[in-house]
């Protein structure tokens, strides 16, 4: 029987893996060579305590593939032997690395750990990963179709070519499960529990490797009330979205709401970071930092909720980030 599960990242609460039902969970651990999710270990330990099947993933930033593989390995060494490692290959990394770069990451991680990671990719990207498939690395494919909202289901199996088969299929980003009032990525794994363990185990080490916590990187922000590149980057880390130090895709008519934000870029269809933030806050997730989102954010930060992201709001955010409250 196929297994049903979720994948989570830093923009979801650290208690998420205690809140809903699932057979397995993939948890975001790292990104690039400078970010470890603060929520990773709490999410991991809660799932482990419940006896769930475990996986951890690295979001490729498009830097040096070998350096990113080494960074991922160092951060999750304590999980090796019981969690399936995954390369999350999307966004900028696809153009920066291509098939050859993804293969270099996978090969380097395998050399270090004796565990073959899965590679997570969309169907169109997966179709280009011939070197990865030839290296005997498994596929976790994102193929949403109509991206239906709802609970677990058994979707049609998408094409796996050039991989011989699909190990895991992410079939919606709009899943809804009892216990959590927000969207979740839902997945089906065409594996048994025993097969899951084989994907996770090293060639020569037992599965009972003690788990240690990844080292968390503190943002160490200057509390000055100005949301510059470092502040925005720190917030992007917490939200589990790509890190570029800017709030992108905003509408020009929203300028009135954030006079202190100096790294806002206009034009486009919203910011992934703002979308993740909105999901955390429980407001409309459209990627636009408008009055509704800022007001909810201010209430969360404990400052005057006037819908204008001024210096007091940014100061409270910087303080929260430094104290690991976000």
């Amino acid at each position: 029987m196929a297994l049903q599960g979720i994948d989570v990242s830093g923009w979801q609460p650290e208690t998420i893996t205690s809140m809903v039902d699932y057979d397995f969970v993939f948890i975001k651990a790292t990104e690039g060579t400078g970010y470890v999710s603060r929520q990773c270990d709490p999410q991991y330990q809660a799932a482990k305590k419940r006896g769930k099947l475990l996986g951890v993933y690295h979001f490729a930033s498009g830097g040096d593939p070998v350096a990113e593989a080494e960074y991922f390995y160092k951060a999750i060494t304590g999980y090796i032997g019981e969690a399936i490692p995954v390369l999350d290959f999307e966004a900028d990394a696809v153009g920066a690395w291509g098939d050859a770069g993804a293969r270099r990451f996978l090969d380097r991680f395998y050399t270090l750990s004796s565990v073959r990671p899965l590679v997570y990719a969309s169907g169109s990207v997966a179709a280009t990963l011939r070197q990865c498939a030839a290296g005997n690395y498994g596929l976790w494919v994102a193929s949403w179709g109509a991206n239906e909202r709802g609970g677990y289901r058994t979707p049609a199996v998408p094409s796996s070519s050039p991989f011989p088969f699909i190990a895991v299929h992410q079939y919606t980003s709009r899943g809804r499960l009892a216990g959590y009032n927000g969207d979740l990525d839902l997945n089906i794994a065409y594996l048994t529990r025993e097969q899951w363990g084989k994907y996770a185990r090293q060639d020569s080490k037992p599965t009972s490797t003690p788990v240690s916590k990844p080292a968390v990187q503190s943002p160490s922000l200057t509390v000055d009330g100005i949301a510059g590149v470092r502040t925005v980057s720190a917030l992007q880390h917490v939200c589990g979205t790509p890190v570029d130090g800017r709030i992108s895709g905003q509408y020009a008519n929203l300028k009135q709401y954030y006079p202190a934000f100096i790294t806002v870029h206009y034009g486009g269809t919203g910011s992934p970071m703002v979308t993740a933030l909105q999901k955390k806050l429980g407001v409309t997730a459209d990627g636009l930092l408008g009055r509704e989102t800022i007001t909810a954010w201010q209430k969360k930060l404990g400052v005057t909720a006037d819908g204008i992201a001024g210096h007091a709001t940014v100061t409270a955010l910087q303080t929260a980030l430094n104290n690991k409250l976000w």
Side-chain angles (χ1 to χ4, degrees):
M1 180 179 295
L3 304 167
Q4 297 277 2
I6 59 175
D7 58 271
V8 298
S9 64
W11 64 262
Q12 286 146 332
E14 64 180 38
T15 56
I16 184 65
T17 51
S18 298
M19 297 167 66
V20 298
D21 189 34
Y22 53 92
D23 298 316
F24 65 87
V25 58
F26 288 107
I27 301 167
K28 182 175 181 178
T30 55
E31 179 175 332
T33 56
Y35 168 66
V36 177
S37 171
R38 296 188 181 108
Q39 281 87 347
C40 177
D41 196 66
Q43 291 169 343
Y44 188 100
Q45 299 299 345
K48 182 179 178 181
K49 186 176 181 180
R50 295 177 68 189
K52 303 301 184 180
L53 297 170
L54 300 162
V56 287
Y57 66 91
H58 172 83
F59 186 95
S61 71
D64 178 61
V66 170
E68 292 201 28
E70 292 171 349
Y71 186 80
F72 181 43
Y73 170 75
K74 182 178 179 180
I76 67 158
T77 298
Y79 301 155
I80 291 172
E82 64 182 12
I84 296 177
V86 181
L87 167 63
D88 183 348
F89 189 54
E90 56 180 304
D92 293 343
V94 175
W97 288 4
D99 184 17
R103 175 67 186 268
R104 287 181 64 204
F105 176 101
L106 298 169
D107 285 349
R108 180 56 179 160
F109 187 91
Y110 177 60
T111 297
L112 292 168
S113 67
S114 299
V115 178
R116 293 188 183 277
L118 297 180
V119 58
Y120 167 92
S122 67
S124 59
V125 172
T128 70
L129 301 181
R130 297 189 178 278
Q131 293 186 44
C132 296
N136 198 28
Y137 295 104
L139 175 63
W140 172 15
V141 69
S143 181
W144 298 345
N147 201 20
E148 298 176 16
R149 174 161 284 156
Y152 292 125
R153 58 188 177 87
T154 303
V157 181
S159 170
S160 65
S161 180
F163 295 82
F165 57 88
I166 293 169
V168 184
H169 173 197
Q170 183 187 83
Y171 54 85
T172 183
S173 67
R174 304 176 68 208
R176 287 295 178 125
L177 299 177
Y180 179 63
N181 186 26
D183 289 341
L184 288 165
D185 295 335
L186 300 186
N187 303 267
I188 186 168
Y190 304 108
L191 306 170
T192 64
R193 293 183 68 90
E194 180 181 8
Q195 289 168 331
W196 187 282
K198 289 181 178 179
Y199 271 96
R201 282 194 292 272
Q202 294 173 283
D203 289 345
S204 59
K205 293 189 177 182
T207 61
S208 57
T209 305
V211 173
S212 60
K213 293 184 178 182
V216 174
Q217 182 183 14
S218 171
S220 299
L221 299 171
T222 299
V223 180
D224 58 6
I226 300 296
V229 171
R230 294 192 66 226
T231 298
V232 175
S233 294
L235 185 58
Q236 288 171 324
H237 283 323
V238 171
C239 289
T241 56
V243 177
D244 60 7
R246 68 179 192 174
I247 303 173
S248 60
Q250 299 303 295
Y251 292 169
N253 63 1
L254 297 176
K255 289 182 180 181
Q256 59 185 309
Y257 297 127
Y258 29 85
F261 276 74
I262 62 173
T263 52
V264 174
H265 290 245
Y266 301 98
T269 57
S271 161
M273 184 204 74
V274 175
T275 298
L277 177 65
Q278 289 167 326
K279 290 179 179 179
K280 287 174 72 75
L281 296 170
V283 299
T284 303
D286 58 7
L288 300 174
L289 192 62
R291 181 177 289 275
E292 177 191 21
T293 300
I294 294 170
T295 299
W297 198 8
Q298 290 170 324
K299 290 179 180 178
K300 180 75 172 179
L301 291 169
V303 299
T304 301
D306 59 6
I308 306 295
H311 290 285
T313 300
V314 178
T315 297
L317 170 65
Q318 291 168 330
T319 301
L321 289 168
N322 282 338
N323 292 330
K324 302 177 184 178
L325 299 177
W326 265 75

